């Protein structure tokens, strides 16, 4: 089994013809979180190990990725740590195939996670980045019962109540926010 330890992002751009018949294993660590730095800061290095396997003109990518990111809470805006441990299981298909057999693809590969590529270069860094971002929840809460901020004075209500008379001045959004907080 061919094993590669990638040290930087360029080494994660793998040429299709460089994948041996038995497949290619790649392990890498991104200590600074460059892969997702435009989205979220990391608290622990991104560690991934992937296996590339040729399937005709397709490439199957399997493996796992681990990290911990800092997310801003939707309610109180404070950052909290969110550990990620994701499995990678995607099929890369040459983009040219898309136009040629669009319909067939839809019928046969519905259950597979398909990403399109140019047919020559497998951007492992992009695959890993995608998996990390997919693992981040739509609703980001520091904890389920986070009380959020007072819509008037901005106080973090997790640290105690404020003096605002919120019942008379509450906006519909604040009411909704409170409802969500109590039901969450
Ligand atoms: Zn919060
Ligand atoms: Zn207040």
């Amino acid at each position: 089994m061919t094993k590669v330890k990638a040290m930087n992002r360029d080494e994660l751009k793998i040429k299709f013809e460089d994948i041996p018949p038995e497949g290619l294993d790649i392990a890498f660590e991104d200590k600074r979180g460059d892969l997702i730095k435009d989205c979220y800061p990391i608290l622990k290095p991104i560690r991934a190990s992937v296996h590339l396997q040729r399937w005709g003109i397709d490439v199957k990518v399997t493996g796992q990725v681990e990290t911990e990111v800092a997310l801003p809470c939707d309610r109180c805006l404070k950052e909290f740590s969110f550990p990620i441990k994701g499995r990678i299981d995607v099929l890369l298909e040459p983009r040219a195939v898309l136009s040629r057999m669009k319909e067939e693809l839809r019928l046969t590969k519905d259950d597979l996670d398909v990403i399109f590529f140019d047919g020559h270069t497998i951007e492992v860094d992009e695959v890993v980045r995608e998996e990390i971002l997919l693992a981040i929840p739509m609703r980001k809460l520091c904890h389920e019962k986070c009380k959020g901020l007072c819509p008037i004075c901005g106080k973090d209500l997790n640290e105690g109540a404020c003096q605002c008379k919120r019942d008379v001045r509450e906006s519909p959004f604040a009411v909704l926010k409170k409802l969500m907080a109590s039901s969450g």
Side-chain angles (χ1 to χ4, degrees), residues 92-123:
L92 271 70
E93 286 195 327
R95 222 168 260 125
V97 177
L98 177 67
S99 46
R100 220 165 48 219
M101 3 182 267
K102 215 177 198 169
E103 287 312 306
E104 268 171 83
L105 266 176
R106 200 167 295 152
L107 293 173
T108 56
K109 291 181 175 151
D110 244 10
D111 51 335
L112 270 168
D113 210 351
V114 176
I115 295 178
F116 293 99
F117 79 120
D118 65 6
H120 306 292
T121 309
I122 295 95
E123 300 190 306

Side-chain angles (χ1 to χ4, degrees), residues 72-181:
C73 175
D74 288 345
R75 289 185 197 150
C76 69
L77 310 177
K78 252 191 211 142
E79 279 196 343
F80 64 100
S81 80
F82 185 80
I84 289 173
K85 200 171 178 164
R87 274 177 48 81
I88 299 168
D89 192 0
V90 293
L91 187 69
L92 271 70
E93 286 195 327
R95 222 168 260 125
V97 177
L98 177 67
S99 46
R100 220 165 48 219
M101 3 182 267
K102 215 177 198 169
E103 287 312 306
E104 268 171 83
L105 266 176
R106 200 167 295 152
L107 293 173
T108 56
K109 291 181 175 151
D110 244 10
D111 51 335
L112 270 168
D113 210 351
V114 176
I115 295 178
F116 293 99
F117 79 120
D118 65 6
H120 306 292
T121 309
I122 295 95
E123 300 190 306
V124 176
D125 53 338
E126 294 298 333
V127 173
V128 172
R129 174 188 152 86
E130 189 100 333
E131 289 302 316
I132 296 171
L133 295 180
L134 279 172
I136 291 170
M138 292 290 284
R139 201 170 79 134
K140 302 183 242 327
L141 296 177
C142 62
H143 59 97
E144 277 298 301
K145 298 218 168 0
C146 173
K147 295 189 177 93
L149 305 177
C150 167
I152 300 163
C153 70
K155 184 185 158 109
D156 185 345
L157 299 174
N158 295 306
E159 289 162 8
C162 60
Q163 303 302 314
C164 302
K165 291 187 171 59
R166 265 173 294 139
D167 43 357
V168 288
R169 290 187 51 186
E170 258 175 9
S171 68
F173 175 69
V175 173
L176 182 72
K177 213 169 166 186
K178 209 165 93 178
L179 276 174
M180 279 165 57

Side-chain angles (χ1 to χ4, degrees), residues 6-7 10 12 15 18-19 32-33 42 50 53 60 63 96 108 119 126 128 131 134 142 164 168 174:
M7 300 308 284
D10 287 340
L12 294 172
K15 291 262 171 289
D18 289 344
I19 304 172
R32 294 178 309 175
I42 57 158
V50 296
Q53 189 74 50
K60 181 107 168 110
T108 56
E126 294 298 333
V128 172
E131 289 302 316
L134 279 172
C142 62
C164 302
V168 288

